[in-house]
Amino acid sequence: MTNGGGEGGSQRRELQGKRSISRGNDFAYAVIRMAAAQICESVEISSYQESQTREGLRFSSFQETALETLTDVVIQYIQNIGKTANFYANMAGRVEGNALDIVQALEDLGSGLGFDGAHDVDHCLADSGVVKDIIRYTGEAEEIPFVYSLPRFPFNRGKRPAPSFSEIGAEPPDEHIPIWLPAFPETKMSNGSEETNVDKIEGDVQSRENGPSLSSMQQSVDVDRLKVQKSMDQKDVQKPTEEPEPEGNPFLAAPLWVGEKNVSRVFPPSELTKEEIRTNHVPEKYMSKSHHIPALEAYALSDKINDKNRLAETEDGQKRDGGRTERALLRFKIGTRKASVCWTLNQCLEEKGWFQEDGYKREKKVEREEKRESIDADVK
Amino acid sequence: MNHGQQSGEAKHEDDAALTEFLASLMDYTPTIPDDLVEHYLAKSGFQCPDVRLIRLVAVATQKFVADVASDALQHCKARPAPVVKDKKQHKDKRLILTMEDLSKALREYGVNVKHPEYFADSPSTGMDPATRDE
């Protein structure tokens, strides 16, 4: 069937916008649309021409909006049957629907148009006129199977419940966590390989259309996932005691534990020339008080982006050969606007002169970078 | 006892038609796939593990659509044919499912589909320029 003309472009856009509200599931909608078109195509009325030959008139094409309207009506019809049948089932005190519930629902929906025996309220439901109409229809109409073969619908992906601690066999980290709760998710490193396994499993699942039922597929996926998780858990547990594997991706290797590898100590440089000083950094302060350095380095970690930028600039020009250590000295150039925060914290912690008379003025000045020298004066 | 048996048999006969039909439904494949019908039924709260009931709903829906389509076809055919030349008098008229016919057919089933005839850019579009207020 081909699409008939007669509809303007703006009209179609308008209706598409409206329909996107009511249409929730695109795939189901498209399938119903095709099924409705197939049924329309098969409808035929016989007519007698003057030459007394019987002709079967059929629809040769349809308007797009007409078909979409019909699809909406079909969806509403099915939902109405379901709602009414569920209503009748609940009235009878049942949760699951019955054949007679559906017959009653069909009677309700067909009562507008009427059917045989509608007037008879006490008749047996199984003998209802609606059922007879349907039986007659199936006897007369030709059987039209759906055009495409569909995979099992709706396709349930990724709804596997997380396995509990007891299923994995792992112990919950704390006492207050019961064992039947789902296990904690893995860390990023172990998740990388786990996800590839899960993707493979899902790929297998998708390739079979008429495979086993969804529950068995989910079970097999669950088992596989559990196996993967178990292996990951064991690996996690063993990590602190064993050395990391030398093979494999070095970027995915576990971080080193403290004391695991001998790292040369970084000595602070004896001289920090003024050339290296930026306008908003005062290194002399740190020379006088060496215990500031760890504190500052701790804050430096939060300014990683700026540090890395400056490290790239300064590292090349400041490598010192021989001397104290084999490693190149890295200088952290901290001194952006963000550092004002660490400055205030530093002041609060270290300087007791904060609450002096001058300290009140400095509280405002700390917010700006240019007034760093005045603080320096106060310190000295 | 006999009366009871007879009434029981009568009931059994009434049910027999339905049960036979449900059994025969497994041979008949409705156009609307089962999974889809089940999805929409579940969406409105109707749960049933029996496939035959799903097929019953699917067949009922198919019958509904067929009835609507046949009514629309009647309306379409009943419309006066456009003027054709004598030579092409026996040419088959191409029938198109239009919104007009569909809305007339659905009207009988209690579904009101009112379709606007055209869309205008502004309220004064298409009016006589002399009478238009500017």
Side-chain angles (χ1 to χ4, degrees), chain A residues 36-52:
Chain A
Q38 272 188 277
I39 299 173
C40 286
E41 194 185 20
S42 74
V43 169
E44 161 182 18
I45 52 171
S46 53
S47 67
Y48 290 96
Q49 289 288 329
E50 291 171 353
S51 55
Q52 301 242 329

Side-chain angles (χ1 to χ4, degrees), chain A residues 2 4 7 11 14-15 25 28-29 31-32 35-36 38-40 43-45 47 50 55 57-63 65-66 69-70 73-75 77-79 81-83 85-86 95-100 102-103 106 113 124 126-127 131 133-135 137-138 141-146 150-154, chain B residues 11 14-18 21-22 25 27-33 35-41 43-49 53-54 56-57 59-74 76-77 90 92-102 106 108-109 111 113 115-119:
Chain A
T2 59
E7 291 292 315
Q11 212 174 19
E14 181 92 15
L15 287 163
N25 197 339
Y29 186 87
V31 171
I32 297 270
Q38 272 188 277
I39 299 173
C40 286
V43 169
E44 161 182 18
I45 52 171
S47 67
E50 291 171 353
E55 272 186 19
L57 275 183
R58 293 173 182 241
F59 278 122
S60 57
S61 57
F62 53 83
Q63 273 186 354
T65 45
T69 312
L70 188 58
V73 169
V74 167
I75 293 176
Y77 188 76
I78 300 177
Q79 288 183 328
I81 294 181
K83 193 171 71 168
N86 190 35
V95 175
E96 279 187 1
N98 211 350
L100 300 178
I102 295 184
V103 172
L106 289 173
L113 199 59
C124 172
D127 207 17
V131 179
D133 282 344
I134 295 179
I135 294 174
Y137 173 75
T138 54
E142 53 192 74
E143 180 174 339
I144 327 149
F146 190 63
L150 294 179
R152 202 189 148 94
F153 177 88
Chain B
K11 280 183 194 168
D14 286 342
D15 285 344
L18 185 59
F21 176 62
L22 287 178
L25 263 186
D27 298 329
Y28 183 92
T29 312
T31 308
I32 308 176
D35 289 331
L36 226 60
V37 175
E38 198 170 344
H39 168 67
Y40 281 115
L41 284 177
K43 207 170 169 189
S44 58
F46 181 76
Q47 259 185 336
C48 184
L53 295 185
I54 311 290
L56 179 63
V57 175
V59 169
T61 313
Q62 190 177 339
K63 175 179 173 297
F64 171 74
V65 176
D67 287 344
V68 170
S70 69
D71 285 350
L73 196 57
Q74 300 273 1
C76 190
K77 190 167 164 293
H90 292 287
D92 285 332
K93 180 182 166 188
R94 297 197 77 209
L95 297 174
I96 303 176
L97 175 68
T98 57
M99 279 299 293
E100 286 180 38
D101 300 330
L102 188 64
L106 283 173
E108 296 174 10
Y109 287 85
V111 181
V113 177
H115 190 68
E117 291 173 25
Y118 58 88
F119 287 98

Side-chain angles (χ1 to χ4, degrees), chain A residues 290-319:
Chain A
S290 60
H291 63 274
H292 273 234
I293 296 178
L296 190 68
E297 280 181 5
Y299 294 120
L301 287 172
S302 63
D303 288 341
K304 264 181 199 165
I305 299 170
N306 295 313
D307 289 342
K308 277 178 190 167
N309 288 338
R310 298 187 192 212
L311 270 177
E313 296 166 22
T314 59
E315 202 178 9
D316 293 338
Q318 289 166 14
K319 278 190 181 172

Side-chain angles (χ1 to χ4, degrees), chain A residues 101-279:
Chain A
D101 293 330
I102 295 184
V103 172
Q104 272 183 305
L106 289 173
E107 281 194 357
D108 260 7
L109 288 177
S111 61
L113 199 59
F115 55 91
D116 273 342
H119 62 280
D120 189 7
V121 193
D122 293 333
H123 69 275
C124 172
L125 278 176
D127 207 17
S128 166
V130 212
V131 179
K132 289 180 181 163
D133 282 344
I134 295 179
I135 294 174
R136 191 163 41 93
Y137 173 75
T138 54
E140 291 175 351
E142 53 192 74
E143 180 174 339
I144 327 149
F146 190 63
V147 180
Y148 297 114
S149 67
L150 294 179
R152 202 189 148 94
F153 177 88
F155 198 80
N156 195 3
R157 298 214 289 165
K159 298 234 172 166
R160 301 176 286 269
S164 65
F165 282 111
S166 59
E167 285 176 20
I168 293 182
E171 285 222 352
D174 284 317
E175 272 184 355
H176 66 277
I177 303 175
I179 203 169
W180 45 264
L181 278 184
F184 283 125
E186 299 301 326
T187 55
K188 273 186 195 173
M189 196 221 75
S190 54
N191 261 347
S193 47
E194 180 189 283
E195 274 169 17
T196 52
N197 277 344
V198 172
D199 284 341
K200 276 185 210 164
I201 295 164
E202 281 192 14
D204 282 343
V205 160
Q206 277 181 22
S207 62
R208 346 173 210 164
E209 285 186 0
N210 296 323
S213 67
L214 263 181
S215 57
S216 67
M217 282 199 297
Q218 281 179 14
Q219 275 173 17
S220 65
V221 169
D222 267 339
V223 166
D224 289 333
R225 191 179 158 103
L226 275 177
K227 278 184 195 163
V228 168
Q229 275 198 346
K230 268 183 187 166
S231 65
M232 285 303 141
D233 274 338
Q234 287 165 5
K235 211 174 170 185
D236 275 339
V237 166
Q238 286 166 5
K239 240 167 244 151
T241 54
E242 291 179 9
E243 285 180 358
E245 295 172 15
E247 309 148 354
N249 199 348
F251 294 103
L252 294 179
L256 299 172
W257 290 83
V258 174
E260 199 172 347
K261 187 174 175 183
N262 284 331
V263 172
S264 59
R265 216 184 137 216
V266 179
F267 290 96
S270 59
E271 25 177 271
L272 286 169
T273 60
K274 292 228 173 180
E275 296 151 12
E276 295 150 14
I277 299 170
R278 307 291 162 111
T279 53

